[in-house]
Each structure stands twice: as structure tokens, then as C-alpha cells.
Amino acid sequence: MIPMEGGGYTAPGIEDFQFTGLFGTDWITKPMVQAVIAAIIVIVVWVVAARRLRVVPTKGQYLMELLYEFIRNSVGRDILGPGFRPYLGLLVGLFTYLLLNNWFGEFFLFMFPTMSNIGYSWGAVVLVLFIYVWAGFRKHGIGYLRKALIPEGVPWYLYIIIIPVEFLSAFITRPLTLGVRLFANMFAGHLAVVVFVVGGSYLLTQADGIVLKVGGGVALLFSILFMLFEMFIGALQAYIFTILTAQYISSSISESH
Amino acid sequence: MKEKTATSTPTEGRDQGMMIFSYLLAGIGLYGGLGWLGDHFWQTSFLLPIGMILGMAISIYLVIKRYGSAT
């Protein structure tokens, strides 16, 4: 970028998403610690929130109820319909877990969205895949395969070209797009923030000339705006992930589509 | 998908859009891939586009069957 003597500017890249092991191991990494912390927080917060229920809710209880009812009404009832109850815990847990992990990208101490390491997205996706396949088998028995692979009203001589496409769509590309969407959004957002922060502070401290310094300062200020935007994206992606999970379960357990 | 049923919700359109996307991806990927394989083995170059278009046609047919008709 700007030629400087001694050192110089290195643009942020995928190296910012790779971590070395902590505590002398090579498998405990920062994203992993974050994922565990998020899981602990989600469990503790919901257990505590569910323990001390009052008829007249406290402020904290009111907030948790708001969150719970938001998922129950907009995801559970609207998408899954009358049989939403068994999956409500999953949906609420999944949403809060992803929300927390995505927001870690904007919190001090962490400053890294866990799901921008694609392996963690795949973890969530594999869970969802297992659950909607299991839900289908539980509801329809072996007939779930027929329901998932053969749409109604397709003549039998088309089965041979239809079934592979249906199989790919239901069990491969659905989870694939689910995972890539979450990962790519978090990855790109975090990379953009890092570019603004690193580039801005480099210009501010290293570059010569008042114009470049001012540009660096503006970039730094803008990065704060961008982080707020990232918080919105993080919440949106957690919500979309939850909605699609409900949608996949719903398509597994619906009587006919 | 203009004729909404009584049970439809505001979010339904977007979710269906994403599921339809996965159909398109599956169809184009599968038959485009078969076409690519055919090209590879027979040293031709026309099977890949034919496969992709055929796959897309099959995908769209499936989407119509799944989501198009009144449920």
C-alpha cells in the first residue's frame, strides 16, 4: 500500500482467522474456548431464568420472556405449527447460542465471531441435519424417505431422474447452504471490521501527511459504526438460521406439502 | 406463490426461497456434474451445458410440484 522504511503495511487476511493452541496444546484454540463459554453462558442463563419465575416478572425475567416469546411466536408457532412444542427448546437454545457467538465478534476480550471459523458452522449444521432427519423418521417411520424423495403428483417414469435431485437437495445442499450462509456472513463481516481497524490505525500512526492521518481516523471511527452493523447482521443470521431450522423440521414432519 | 393460504406467514416466502435455492443448486450440480463427467470421458464439450440446463429444468419442475400447486 504505502511504501515505508522498515516494516510496512500488511493487509488483514485469512491469517487473522487462524489461531495457535492455548495452554500448551494444539487443539484448544480461541474459537473453541469461545464456543464452550457461549454454551456455558446459554445454559446457565436459561436455567437461572427458568428457576426464579414470578407472576409479576422482574426486569430480567421480562427480558428473557421477551426473547423466549419472540422465538416461540415468530418461529415456533408460525412455522412449525401446532406440534412446535418438542422443538421449542432446540430453537430457543440454538438462537441464543448463535446470537452470543456472533456477538462475540464485537465484544472486548473476544473480538472474534466463533462461526467465522467454518468448522463451528458445520457443527451447528450437522446438529440441525440430524434433528430434521430424525424428526422425519419419528413422525413418518420409513415412509419419511418416500415423502422426502418423491413429491406428490410426479409420474413414476420420472422417479429415476427426480430422486437423485431430491436426495441432494434435502440432505446435501440444504445443510450446505445453511452452513455457508452463516459462515460467510460472519467471516466477511469480521474481515471488513478488521480491515477498517488495522488499516485505519496504520494510517493514523504510521502514514505521513495530514490527509492520510485524518483518513485513518475516519476509518477508525467508521469501524465502530461497522461493528454496530455487524451486531445487527449477527442477530439477523442467528434468526435466519433458527427460522430455516424450523422450516426444515416442518418440511420433515408435515403431513403433506 | 402469490395465492397465499390462510396459514401463510410473512417469513414463509423467504424460507421457501432458500429451500428453492437448494433445489436449483442440487439439480444444476448433479446433472451438470454428470455432464462434466461425460465430457471428461468422451472428450466432448457440449454435455456440461446440456446437463446444467437439464438439471435446472428438473429443479424448476420439482419446485413447481413441491411449492407451486395449492397445498
Side-chain angles (χ1 to χ4, degrees):
Chain A
M1 299 278 291
I2 307 150
M4 299 279 290
E5 281 165 323
Y9 180 73
T10 45
I14 51 167
E15 311 85 55
D16 294 292
F17 293 86
Q18 289 158 351
F19 298 94
T20 47
L22 303 169
F23 310 120
T25 63
D26 54 1
W27 54 275
I28 300 178
T29 56
K30 185 176 163 186
M32 187 193 177
V33 173
Q34 287 185 190
V36 173
I37 290 175
I40 293 172
I41 293 176
V42 166
I43 293 170
V44 168
V45 164
W46 281 113
V47 165
V48 168
R51 273 271 166 81
R52 286 185 276 151
L53 291 181
R54 308 243 171 82
V55 181
V56 179
T58 58
K59 224 177 232 173
Q61 186 186 338
Y62 176 73
L63 271 179
M64 298 312 279
E65 278 180 0
L66 212 64
L67 194 62
Y68 172 81
E69 278 167 10
F70 169 65
I71 295 297
R72 185 190 64 190
N73 297 344
S74 73
V75 180
R77 271 189 198 154
D78 284 358
I79 293 176
L80 280 175
F84 72 90
R85 199 105 208 134
Y87 304 101
L88 192 56
L90 167 79
L91 295 177
V92 172
L94 199 61
F95 176 71
T96 39
Y97 182 68
L98 290 176
L99 185 71
L100 209 59
N101 270 315
N102 292 349
W103 279 1
F104 275 171
E106 284 76 48
F107 283 148
F108 292 107
L109 228 78
F110 300 108
M111 294 309 281
F112 183 79
T114 317
M115 297 296 158
S116 67
N117 259 22
I118 198 164
Y120 295 90
S121 291
W122 288 145
V125 165
V126 165
L127 174 75
V128 169
L129 174 67
F130 272 129
I131 285 171
Y132 77 73
V133 170
W134 171 80
F137 276 118
R138 200 181 70 142
K139 174 93 181 201
H140 300 288
I142 199 74
Y144 167 64
L145 280 181
R146 182 189 161 78
K147 195 182 151 309
L149 297 181
I150 304 171
E152 285 163 26
V154 173
W156 60 269
Y157 48 84
L158 286 180
Y159 283 1
I160 187 86
I161 55 171
I162 291 298
I163 288 176
V165 176
E166 284 279 343
F167 179 82
L168 263 183
S169 164
F171 302 119
I172 310 288
T173 53
R174 261 189 215 178
L176 205 71
T177 50
L178 190 67
V180 168
R181 179 180 309 113
L182 178 64
F183 153 74
N185 272 288
M186 299 330 292
F187 178 84
H190 185 63
L191 192 59
V193 169
V194 170
V195 164
F196 275 112
V197 171
V198 173
S201 50
Y202 181 82
L203 281 180
L204 195 64
T205 55
Q206 306 289 316
D208 299 317
I210 187 73
V211 178
L212 290 180
K213 283 201 189 298
V214 168
V218 170
L220 268 183
L221 285 179
F222 192 78
S223 74
I224 295 172
L225 212 76
F226 214 89
M227 276 193 213
L228 291 177
F229 179 65
E230 267 311 295
M231 284 186 79
F232 167 70
I233 294 289
L236 190 70
Q237 287 306 318
Y239 183 59
I240 288 178
F241 195 96
T242 316
I243 280 202
L244 281 171
T245 302
Q247 186 77 48
Y248 295 163
I249 294 173
S250 153
S251 76
S252 286
I253 63 177
S254 65
E255 284 303 334
S256 64
H257 207 299
Chain B
M1 225 119 305
K2 282 276 177 270
E3 305 87 24
K4 291 283 185 181
T5 54
T7 55
S8 71
T9 62
T11 57
E12 198 180 55
R14 186 179 58 203
D15 317 329
Q16 286 195 347
M18 288 177 175
M19 288 169 90
I20 287 167
F21 176 68
S22 86
Y23 267 112
L24 288 175
L25 217 61
I28 295 170
L30 179 68
Y31 289 102
L34 282 180
W36 180 84
L37 272 183
D39 276 344
H40 190 72
F41 282 117
W42 293 308
Q43 308 289 322
T44 53
S45 61
F46 63 95
L47 286 173
L48 170 64
I50 288 180
M52 286 173 75
I53 292 169
L54 196 71
M56 198 191 305
I58 293 167
S59 294
I60 291 171
Y61 171 75
L62 276 175
V63 166
I64 293 171
K65 279 289 171 201
R66 285 269 186 197
Y67 303 105
S69 55
T71 48

